[in-house]
Amino acid sequence: GTAHYLVFSEDMEEERREAAIHHLRLRQAILAGEIIPYYQPLVDLRSRRLIGLEVLARWRHPERGILPPSEFIDAAERAGLIGLMFESILRQASQDAARWPDGLKIAVNMSPLQLQDATLSGTVLDILSQTGLSPLRLELEVTETGIVHDLGTAKRVLAMLRTAGIRVALDDFGTGYASLRMVKELAVDRLKIDRSFVVALASAPESGRYVSAIIGLARALGLGTTAEGIEDAATMRRIAAMGCDLGQGYYFGRPRPMEGLDSWLTCAAEG
Ligand code: C2E
Ligand code: CA
Ligand code: CA
Ligand code: CA
């Protein structure tokens, strides 16, 4: 009846108000520099050397401590703040990386929504020139799960980035849909094999065929491969034997803030 309707609509109102407050708070957090980069090693599986670091966002919340992306990335996408967050993360990571040993690259995550923003490549190139990081050291990771509504814009944005020397990886490969079409149309440089396939290697031997198939596909198309979620030496050896070029996972190191990178960077500098 009417009473129920009233309660319902007050709940909706309340939810909207909470969402608005949360979005406002997130915007402040981005502008105040509370969203910071953590870094996780990307390792060449043949030489076992560090070749770069993936940038993973964390919210250094003044009351709640360090929050993972699952607490704020979706909200940032819904609030239209994902571009602002990306710019802040890219700027901080480029500043950090400009001081690392020369060859090391950074891999920065991007929402597929951002491929619909025709100004993206200009923004990225401005940040790189301001921070002094070579575009050759930047790779952008896009998840294939997101729907790209306007493929034309996405292709143009990626083509401009690629012309500048920036590389693009398709993240969580094998878990989304329209994968092959995305690989072809977006002309990506690298496939990141989703952790679910890698983790399954230990328990389900047949999942080795899926990993092999993805690596074979990448080879045939001239693309690089990264296996995520490598947690032990046995998995690392199996994946390396299958011909995957790069590995990432807790076996090599968990994500750390800039202050914790010294030992990794020293090793990389010593060669
Ligand atoms: P992702 O890009 O697939 O990143 C890999 C995730 O797996 C990270 O979780 C990482 O901490 C975790 N991981 C790495 N190695 C292992 C392992 O050996 N075992 C296990 N169990 N987990 C491992 P994280 O940092 O919580 O990030 C989750 C997701 O949030 C990322 O998945 C990415 O999709 C998204 N994300 C993170 N930072 C950003 C960002 O700056 N922008 C956007 N748009 N998305 C981001
Ligand atoms: Ca990623
Ligand atoms: Ca991934
Ligand atoms: Ca993932």
Side-chain angles (χ1 to χ4, degrees):
T2 324
H4 281 114
Y5 175 76
L6 252 176
V7 169
F8 177 64
S9 101
E10 273 171 11
D11 278 356
M12 299 273 285
E13 191 57 36
E14 180 63 24
E15 252 171 51
R16 255 199 299 275
R17 205 166 23 236
E18 271 171 21
I21 291 168
H22 185 58
H23 291 171
L24 206 64
R25 177 69 191 91
L26 189 52
R27 187 185 181 81
Q28 285 170 344
I30 296 167
L31 296 173
E34 288 176 18
I35 311 293
I36 58 165
Y38 267 45
Y39 298 99
Q40 188 181 29
L42 295 164
V43 175
D44 182 317
L45 288 174
R46 247 186 279 170
S47 64
R48 309 276 162 88
R49 293 191 44 184
L50 182 75
I51 62 98
L53 295 148
E54 177 172 359
V55 180
L56 294 159
R58 296 289 182 269
W59 185 347
R60 192 166 50 196
H61 196 285
E63 287 105 41
R64 298 173 60 204
I66 301 289
L67 304 181
S70 53
E71 298 253 0
F72 58 88
I73 295 287
D74 284 356
E77 286 183 343
R78 279 197 303 272
L81 291 170
I82 200 75
L84 188 68
M85 180 176 295
F86 171 81
E87 285 175 39
S88 170
I89 287 285
L90 177 63
R91 189 179 302 278
Q92 295 175 69
S94 303
Q95 273 160 358
D96 289 345
R99 290 178 291 153
W100 299 346
D102 238 15
L104 286 184
K105 68 174 180 176
I106 53 170
V108 181
N109 289 287
M110 220 173 63
S111 161
L113 289 174
Q114 296 179 259
L115 295 179
Q116 311 290 263
D117 173 8
T119 67
L120 180 78
S121 60
T123 307
V124 169
L125 294 175
D126 281 350
I127 292 172
L128 294 184
S129 71
Q130 287 157 17
T131 54
L133 187 81
S134 162
L136 302 175
R137 292 178 57 193
L138 176 63
E139 188 158 291
L140 295 172
E141 298 190 359
V142 194
T143 38
E144 60 154 350
T145 42
I147 306 161
V148 176
H149 291 290
D150 178 357
L151 202 56
T153 304
K155 282 164 80 167
R156 272 194 300 281
V157 167
L158 290 178
M160 283 188 275
L161 291 166
R162 198 167 303 99
T163 304
I166 295 165
R167 269 149 301 177
V168 179
L170 206 49
D171 211 341
D172 300 344
F173 188 74
T175 59
Y177 52 92
S179 341
L180 276 181
R181 174 140 190 254
M182 288 280 272
V183 172
K184 179 169 180 282
E185 295 284 338
L186 302 179
V188 299
D189 304 285
R190 167 173 301 281
L191 303 182
K192 291 195 80 171
I193 305 168
D194 191 66
R195 192 180 55 184
S196 56
F197 293 102
V198 175
V199 167
L201 275 182
S203 53
E206 77 279 4
S207 57
R209 285 192 236 138
Y210 290 87
V211 175
S212 287
I214 297 173
I215 295 168
L217 171 73
R219 277 228 178 115
L221 298 172
L223 309 178
T225 41
T226 305
E228 15 175 78
I230 298 178
E231 294 189 356
D232 53 66
T235 305
M236 190 227 2
R237 278 193 292 268
R238 255 190 99 180
I239 298 260
M242 288 174 180
C244 187
D245 350 315
L246 301 184
Q248 179 179 8
Y250 294 168
Y251 177 70
F252 303 109
R254 287 179 184 249
R256 293 182 188 171
M258 178 61 192
E259 309 82 71
L261 301 185
D262 285 355
S263 58
W264 293 341
L265 296 178
T266 314
C267 275
E270 282 165 359

